[in-house]
Amino acid sequence: MKRYGGIPIIRKVQHYPEQSLEELQVHRDKEVDVWNFVADDLDSAYKKMPETSQRGRANRYVAAALKSRAMLYAGTIAKYGAANFVEGEARTLGYVGIPLSAAQGFFQRAWDAAKLLEGHYSLYRKKTDKEQNYVDLFLDKESTENILVRDYSLTSNTAHSWDATMTCRFMTADGLSRAYPTLELIERFNGQLPVVNADGTPRRFDNTAQLMQGVEPRLLATVYFPGASLRGKQFDMQRGIYERFQGTAADEVGQNPPNRQFRHLAGKTETLYDGMRIIGFTGISTDDDNLTRTGFYVRKYIDYNRAQSACGLYMSTQSWIDMRYAEVLLNRAEAAVELNNAADARTVINDLRDRAGAPQLTADPGIDTVRNERCKELAFEKQYWWDLRRWRIADRMLDNTKYHALMPYYVADEKKYIFLREMEPFQRSYNFEKKFYYEPIPGGELGKNPNLFPNNPNH
Amino acid sequence: MRKIIAGLFILLSATLMSSCSKEDNYEGPNAAFKGRLLDNDSKENFLTETGGVQVKLEELSWSATPTPQFIPSKSDGTFEDTKLFSGHYRVTPANGAFWPVEGIEIDINGTTTQDFTLTPYLRITQFEHELQGTTLIMRCKLSAPKEAGLPRLLDIKPFVNISDYVGSGATISQYTDPNKVDINASWSGEIAAKTYEIRVPNLKSGRTFYARLGARVDDSYKQFNYSQIITITVP
């Protein structure tokens, strides 16, 4: 659904060769009809299923949580897809796109479904330290927030590689890291980090870990900052060393950097300048991206109690939380704002912010605040991409966009650290065309069933 | 041992070769389709870039719902594909910065030539430029051939490259995005009257650059309508 729009609704099992090809080659249904079908199906699941279930299995609240997610998708596609779309026959026929008039109904159903879980699940608050609490929420199997989880184990050959592929080899036994949080994500929390003085010069730090002072606990628990520790080792990322540094940060990242001839970069962690590792053990290399490209590593879900030797490929066993109560609360808050009930959204978000160690909202939130809260809370949980799509803002957010890094440098003559906000070193640009809001119906399916035509617009 | 291995290889390659010896007696693709994309006003070639317009081909000889193939435009506003099968096609210029046009049905065989006239969303008019030191200043006005129903205007961007292939897909990015002018508004008399000034500072001395402006609207494809290409030599 979220990929293709309207697909055929099949209510009865098909039999081949007992049934003729004409019977089996069904037509697509309208997108709005398929979302309604999903809602009805989940309603009947909610009625028929028990309140509790074995770990890893669905119960009636899983159905309700999924419904809140699905209806929110349908509501936003109706509302925002009405203004941002690609013309085409499939749209004219209703196979993709939902009439704007259906939006409010879907939002109401999303809110109602989310409300059903109230009192049955709660945000995880076992530890008093907010940062540690947020870290453990993803690792504690007894979390009161888990609605549906997926377990992994070595004995059943289902272990995964999260630990080996999210941080670098310095902390792991095998594999290479490839996913790095952008500075843009970090700046969603509290704007730009305080790395520049009022006069425009880079603020001097005694060590990189000082940057973490005053940062929201939830953010510290979501990404590893320079100076953070894991398995007894410190993330000592450095982009390089300046022999000396004069002038402003803006000049240095501009087109004629005044201190460039005093800057040393390196490709390998062993490369020294004056006896010091130029990029540290976890630093930002000029060669490749086996080490961070942005100055940060993913922390969410990292099993910090696991010994380094057990952090190889296909050796990690922490559960994946497919649905947790925080998402349901965010579904509810977003639906509430779309239904002009911002007061409810405020209550819900303040609950999340209290657990996160973030400041409370002092006014009713608008849609941008609610969306930003969702991006912060659900970072790296496979939501953001689909959110960008259903909000129909992906073509603006990813408009040949390049992302930024926070580069830590050691200034040798002052024995201090500075941070510069630079483009990430690969300078890769990311683009999203409007036609990607729907994927093409695969050619193999179209070959088997010509009644699936017309394909989605511009594919 | 080595003889055995060598023998096996010979056997293997002999088998492989004989297995592809069946003759393909079908004709290869031997038809060509080419033409020009024309601006409806000037009748000159449509100002675009490599791939800025796609000519969509649907071969109707075999199926009413064929998988489309696309010929990307060349940077000079022409298109050509010399490896097509002869047949009956529906041809539609698409995916570009112009008002949608109806496709035409045409038989393609030998070399078939067909021009298309397109109405751009926007025209860049009164385009002028000057060089102040290492800063390139470009000025222009916008006009809209058709105002009713024009999608929201997004922005005007400068494109700069060291070859005359210059456009959104071939530009030096540090000269482009930091210097763009955002519009984010629907078409109005105010926009029509305004002179836009786009400055590209810090061009490298001693180099020759090719530059142009592009303006786009928030339609399905978000492609650019371009100005002419200018050549600048920075002293």
Side-chain angles (χ1 to χ4, degrees):
Chain A
M1 280 298 294
K2 63 185 182 181
R3 288 187 171 85
Y4 305 116
I7 49 175
I9 298 174
I10 295 174
R11 292 169 197 274
K12 292 224 170 73
V13 179
Q14 293 189 316
H15 296 283
Y16 181 78
E18 290 85 346
Q19 284 173 280
S20 68
L21 266 185
E22 287 69 43
E23 272 181 89
L24 294 172
Q25 289 181 332
V26 289
H27 285 267
R28 291 178 80 175
D29 279 285
K30 290 185 176 184
E31 179 166 3
V32 63
D33 293 339
V34 188
W35 286 111
N36 281 325
F37 175 73
V38 168
D40 294 343
D41 223 12
L42 291 169
D43 281 343
S44 92
Y46 181 81
K47 281 195 206 100
K48 289 176 187 165
M49 293 181 97
E51 286 217 13
T52 55
S53 58
Q54 196 189 335
R55 186 177 170 82
R57 301 273 179 189
N59 59 38
R60 61 171 15 180
Y61 297 114
V62 172
L66 182 58
K67 189 183 171 195
S68 81
R69 188 192 282 176
M71 294 299 99
L72 193 63
Y73 271 61
T76 43
I77 289 168
K79 181 166 176 183
Y80 300 100
N84 193 357
F85 57 85
V86 180
E87 284 286 9
E89 201 187 347
R91 182 180 159 82
T92 318
L93 296 170
Y95 296 149
V96 297
I98 303 173
L100 179 58
S101 56
Q104 290 297 298
F106 282 123
F107 286 131
Q108 189 61 51
R109 281 189 273 175
W111 192 90
D112 292 344
K115 182 85 174 166
L116 289 174
L117 282 89
E118 199 173 59
H120 299 281
Y121 295 87
S122 62
L123 294 178
Y124 183 80
R125 284 189 166 93
K126 209 182 244 178
K127 303 265 165 66
T128 43
D129 181 80
K130 304 246 181 211
E131 183 184 333
Q132 191 60 45
N133 182 67
Y134 199 83
V135 167
D136 287 344
L137 128 71
F138 296 95
L139 301 171
D140 186 345
K141 290 203 182 244
E142 306 305 314
S143 167
T144 54
E145 191 169 334
N146 291 352
I147 299 169
L148 183 66
V149 299
R150 183 180 176 139
D151 286 336
Y152 300 87
S153 83
L154 284 167
T155 46
S156 65
N157 260 332
T158 55
H160 58 81
S161 310
W162 189 272
D163 291 292
T165 54
M166 286 297 149
T167 58
C168 56
R169 182 65 74 76
F170 186 52
M171 273 79 176
T172 66
D174 194 9
L176 294 165
S177 57
R178 277 292 184 280
Y180 307 112
T182 60
L183 185 54
E184 277 76 3
L185 169 69
I186 279 92
E187 290 172 350
R188 280 184 180 273
F189 285 75
N190 200 18
Q192 296 207 358
L193 292 160
V195 294
V196 181
N197 293 317
D199 62 359
T201 56
R203 194 176 139 198
R204 264 60 170 180
F205 293 82
D206 295 328
N207 53 60
T208 51
Q210 271 181 352
L211 181 63
M212 290 188 281
Q213 285 170 11
V215 170
E216 182 183 310
R218 174 172 55 179
L219 175 55
L220 293 177
T222 302
V223 305
Y224 281 116
F225 270 57
S229 299
L230 171 64
R231 302 184 189 111
K233 292 181 170 171
Q234 197 181 28
F235 287 97
D236 63 344
M237 32 274 203
Q238 270 175 221
R239 174 60 167 166
I241 295 177
Y242 277 103
E243 291 172 38
R244 55 197 185 80
F245 191 98
Q246 281 170 335
T248 64
D251 282 348
E252 190 61 20
V253 299
Q255 291 197 14
N256 296 305
N259 301 295
R260 189 52 62 86
Q261 75 255 40
F262 306 116
R263 189 181 79 164
H264 300 269
L265 306 181
K268 303 266 177 291
T269 55
E270 305 87 67
T271 315
L272 303 182
Y273 168 77
D274 206 8
M276 184 185 195
R277 282 176 197 274
I278 291 178
I279 63 169
F281 282 106
T282 66
I284 300 131
S285 159
T286 53
D287 281 357
D288 46 37
D289 63 347
N290 299 337
L291 300 169
T292 179
R293 256 157 70 197
T294 63
F296 302 96
Y297 287 96
V298 174
R299 183 173 183 184
K300 195 174 268 188
Y301 276 112
I302 293 290
D303 188 353
Y304 59 94
N305 284 321
R306 180 170 279 270
Q308 185 170 351
S309 58
C311 292
L313 293 170
Y314 306 106
M315 288 173 78
S316 295
T317 54
Q318 59 270 49
S319 307
W320 176 259
I321 306 169
D322 191 59
M323 286 179 189
R324 61 185 181 102
Y325 191 50
E327 187 211 329
V328 174
L329 288 179
L330 286 160
N331 294 346
R332 174 173 157 184
E334 191 179 326
V337 169
E338 297 288 6
L339 293 165
N340 292 318
N341 183 7
D344 183 63
R346 182 174 165 185
T347 316
V348 164
I349 285 180
N350 277 339
D351 192 15
L352 284 160
R353 288 195 169 196
D354 172 67
R355 191 270 298 274
Q360 296 281 292
L361 286 175
T362 50
D364 284 350
I367 192 67
D368 291 336
T369 307
V370 175
R371 287 180 180 182
N372 196 46
E373 196 68 25
R374 185 178 177 91
C375 297
K376 293 189 283 185
E377 179 69 32
L378 302 179
F380 317 131
E381 294 183 49
K382 303 194 174 173
Q383 297 278 349
Y384 184 56
W385 169 250
W386 300 104
D387 288 339
L388 285 187
R389 290 168 57 116
R390 68 185 175 86
W391 291 330
R392 296 291 192 259
I393 58 171
D395 69 292
R396 272 178 284 143
M397 296 292 285
L398 304 172
D399 183 14
N400 275 316
T401 308
K402 293 181 174 163
Y403 286 89
H404 287 83
L406 191 67
M407 299 298 201
Y409 292 94
Y410 182 65
V411 184
D413 71 334
E414 301 176 41
K415 296 191 167 54
K416 298 278 185 193
Y417 290 87
I418 58 169
F419 293 92
L420 297 178
R421 188 185 196 279
E422 296 178 19
M423 208 86 88
E424 59 91 6
F426 282 26
Q427 301 205 11
R428 206 162 269 171
S429 56
Y430 296 85
N431 200 34
F432 186 101
E433 291 179 37
K434 285 187 184 183
K435 68 174 181 183
F436 301 157
Y437 285 123
Y438 292 100
E439 292 178 24
I441 304 281
E445 299 303 319
L446 293 167
K448 278 184 273 185
N449 178 4
N451 288 331
L452 295 176
F453 279 101
N455 207 336
N456 290 339
N458 215 20
H459 282 297
Chain B
M1 187 67 191
R2 287 180 72 176
K3 272 187 184 164
I4 297 174
I5 295 174
L8 279 173
F9 266 110
I10 291 167
L11 191 70
L12 185 70
S13 39
T15 324
L16 282 175
M17 280 206 281
S18 64
S19 63
C20 344
S21 64
K22 200 177 159 191
E23 225 165 274
D24 181 354
N25 56 1
Y26 288 98
E27 290 274 326
N30 54 9
F33 184 55
K34 64 175 189 174
R36 295 162 69 200
L37 304 165
L38 302 170
D39 186 297
N40 71 326
D41 184 43
S42 66
K43 308 296 178 200
E44 299 282 323
N45 281 9
F46 191 75
L47 291 164
T48 184
E49 63 178 317
T50 307
V53 179
Q54 310 268 347
V55 178
K56 179 160 114 178
L57 298 176
E58 292 163 292
E59 188 178 0
L60 304 172
S61 322
W62 307 99
S63 158
T65 54
T67 306
Q69 45 183 324
F70 294 90
I71 310 175
S73 64
K74 299 186 188 186
S75 57
D76 63 354
T78 63
F79 64 91
E80 180 170 13
D81 187 335
T82 57
K83 287 279 179 287
L84 289 170
F85 287 103
S86 301
H88 185 64
Y89 288 85
R90 181 166 55 230
V91 186
T92 323
N95 299 24
F98 52 86
W99 289 93
V101 288
E102 285 289 316
I104 55 164
E105 291 195 16
I106 188 171
D107 287 315
I108 294 178
N109 47 49
T111 297
T112 305
T113 305
Q114 175 70 46
D115 296 344
F116 293 96
T117 301
L118 307 174
T119 308
Y121 286 126
L122 297 171
R123 283 204 185 91
I124 291 177
T125 58
Q126 300 177 41
F127 178 52
E128 50 184 59
H129 68 278
E130 59 173 305
L131 196 62
Q132 284 182 3
T134 58
T135 300
L136 170 65
I137 301 168
M138 293 184 274
R139 292 187 196 88
C140 72
K141 288 184 141 187
L142 296 179
S143 74
K146 232 174 105 177
E147 296 178 6
L150 185 69
R152 204 165 49 94
L153 279 72
L154 288 174
D155 44 24
I156 306 179
K157 287 186 181 184
F159 299 104
V160 181
N161 203 357
I162 50 170
S163 84
D164 60 354
Y165 290 97
V166 54
S168 70
T171 184
I172 301 168
S173 61
Q174 72 202 63
Y175 294 141
T176 295
D177 280 330
N179 304 317
K180 68 173 176 162
V181 172
D182 287 320
I183 301 175
N184 279 324
S186 298
W187 182 259
S188 64
E190 201 182 323
I191 289 173
K194 187 168 173 180
T195 300
Y196 291 92
E197 181 176 291
I198 288 95
R199 303 172 76 93
V200 183
N202 293 316
L203 289 172
K204 278 231 163 94
S205 289
R207 299 274 179 91
T208 297
F209 292 102
Y210 298 84
R212 71 198 312 192
L213 292 176
R216 62 178 174 164
V217 301
D218 194 18
D219 73 327
S220 296
Y221 314 114
K222 302 211 295 190
Q223 299 285 354
F224 289 88
N225 286 119
Y226 288 102
S227 69
Q228 297 287 353
I229 298 170
I230 52 170
T231 312
I232 313 119
T233 302
V234 186

